[in-house]
Amino acid sequence: LCHIAQVIKGDNDVLLKGVGDKSAIEEVKHILDTARRAATRREVFHTDFLTPPVLKESMIVLQKLADVKAVAQGGYPQAERCRLSIGHSEVLTNDPNVVAAINISGNFSFQPCSHGDFLGAILGKGIAREKLGDIILQGEKGAHVLIVPELVDFLMSTLDKVANVSVSCTQIPLLALEYEPPRTQSFKTVEASLRVDALASAGFKISRSKLVNLISNGDVRVNWTTVTKNGTTLKTGDIVSVSGKGRLKIGEINSTKKGKFSVELIRYL
C-alpha cells in the first residue's frame, strides 16, 4: 500500500508540473486526488464550483488520466464558474442535479443592486463562495443564482434582503434561466508582432508601458492563466483579461504585405 501511495504521489508531481497557473496548484492537486478516488471506487465525484483558471488547469491535467473522465457543468452555456463531475466514462453522465438555480426577486427599481450586493447578501448567510456558481443579474427584477442543490432550501428560507431591498427566493429549472450572450465590439489593429503587450495595449487602448506594468503586477491573464512575460505570443481564440479593464478575445489573424499582422480584436463590453 505504501508503494502504491508513493507511485500515485510521483504521478501527481509529474502531472502538476504542467500547471501553468501556480496559484491554482493546490486546488488542482485536490481535484487530482478526487479523480484517484473516483477511479479506485468506480464512483462519480463532484467538485464545488471552480474559478475559470482552476477549471482550465484541472481539465488539462485530468485529460492525461486514462481511467477517468471529467464533465464541466455551470448551469448554462456561458457559465464561468463550473462544477466538475469526475468518474469512469461508463458511469459518468450529465447529472441535471449537480447545479440548481434560484430566482431572487424584489423591487430593485429605486435601488439597483450590483453583482457584489447579491454575492455579499448570500455570503452573509454563511454560505461559502465555492458553493455558488454564477450570479446572473436581471435588472430591476433581481437576479438568478446558481448554487449546489443541497443549499437551495437553506438559501430560500434565510435570504430576505439584498442591500436594503426585501426579496423572495424561488427555485427555478435551469431551462428557465434568462441570460444574454455577451455584448462585444470588434475592431482591427495592425501590429509588428503577436505579443501580449502589443495586442492587449491596442485592445484595451492603454499605453504599452502601462500594460507592461500590469503584467509585472500579475494583473494580466491569458486564458485565465496569469502572464509573467511581456513577449507571450497570442493566437486566434485566446482570451486576454486585465484586472479593472475587462476581457478581450483574439479573432482572425492575417499577415500583411509588409510583414506585419492584421489582427481582429473582440472586446467584451
Side-chain angles (χ1 to χ4, degrees):
L1 288 175
C2 290
H3 173 68
I4 292 173
Q6 287 177 342
V7 170
I8 290 177
K9 181 180 184 299
D11 290 345
N12 280 7
D13 291 342
V14 171
L15 291 169
L16 290 171
K17 281 184 180 179
V19 176
D21 191 335
K22 301 308 177 186
S23 65
I25 283 183
E26 285 305 314
E27 288 187 76
V28 175
K29 182 179 179 182
H30 176 71
I31 292 167
L32 196 53
D33 291 339
T34 300
R36 298 292 188 191
R37 291 199 303 274
T40 303
R41 301 181 188 180
R42 301 191 74 81
E43 297 178 14
V44 177
F45 288 87
H46 309 292
T47 69
D48 287 328
F49 285 98
L50 307 175
T51 61
V54 174
L55 179 65
K56 175 202 165 194
E57 298 289 358
S58 298
M59 290 297 283
I60 292 174
V61 169
L62 292 174
Q63 285 172 2
K64 299 176 183 177
L65 301 179
D67 47 355
V68 293
K69 302 296 180 183
V71 175
Q73 300 177 73
Y76 68 109
Q78 281 97 14
E80 288 197 353
R81 296 175 65 86
C82 295
R83 301 185 74 182
L84 277 180
S85 298
I86 306 169
H88 283 271
S89 56
E90 62 266 23
V91 296
L92 185 63
T93 59
N94 285 338
D95 187 350
N97 296 320
V98 171
V99 180
I102 292 178
N103 179 55
I104 302 175
S105 60
N107 185 5
F108 294 94
S109 302
F110 302 104
Q111 186 178 344
C113 286
S114 66
H115 180 282
D117 291 325
F118 284 95
L119 178 61
I122 296 170
L123 297 184
K125 298 302 178 182
I127 295 177
R129 182 65 180 99
E130 58 268 22
K131 301 298 182 182
L132 293 175
D134 288 1
I135 297 175
I136 310 170
L137 298 179
Q138 300 295 307
E140 296 180 355
K141 294 187 293 184
H144 295 330
V145 175
L146 285 307
I147 191 170
V148 294
E150 56 267 27
L151 289 178
V152 167
D153 290 341
F154 173 77
L155 185 61
M156 290 197 304
S157 63
T158 58
L159 186 66
D160 55 1
K161 274 194 174 184
V162 173
N164 293 320
V165 179
S166 296
V167 299
S168 60
C169 300
T170 54
Q171 185 174 3
I172 59 175
L174 296 179
L175 291 175
L177 288 172
E178 296 180 17
Y179 57 91
E180 294 182 359
R183 292 186 301 118
T184 60
Q185 179 185 34
S186 299
F187 54 96
K188 289 191 176 182
T189 183
V190 176
E191 303 292 336
S193 75
L194 298 176
R195 290 165 51 118
V196 63
D197 54 355
L199 297 186
S201 62
F204 292 105
K205 301 188 185 305
I206 56 178
S207 69
R208 196 157 174 172
S209 59
K210 185 172 183 179
L211 199 285
V212 168
N213 289 335
L214 289 169
I215 292 175
S216 300
N217 293 334
D219 292 328
V220 179
R221 290 175 177 265
V222 174
N223 300 327
W224 295 285
T225 298
T226 301
V227 173
T228 57
K229 298 180 180 178
N230 306 336
T232 299
T233 301
L234 301 180
K235 63 184 182 302
T236 297
D238 282 346
I239 302 290
V240 182
S241 55
V242 176
S243 298
K245 301 293 182 182
R247 287 184 298 167
L248 181 75
K249 184 176 183 178
I250 308 302
E252 186 177 354
I253 300 174
N254 293 300
S255 297
T256 69
K257 293 180 179 179
K258 295 184 178 180
K260 294 187 177 183
F261 299 94
S262 174
V263 184
E264 179 190 21
L265 300 177
I266 305 165
R267 179 86 178 267
Y268 289 86
L269 304 176

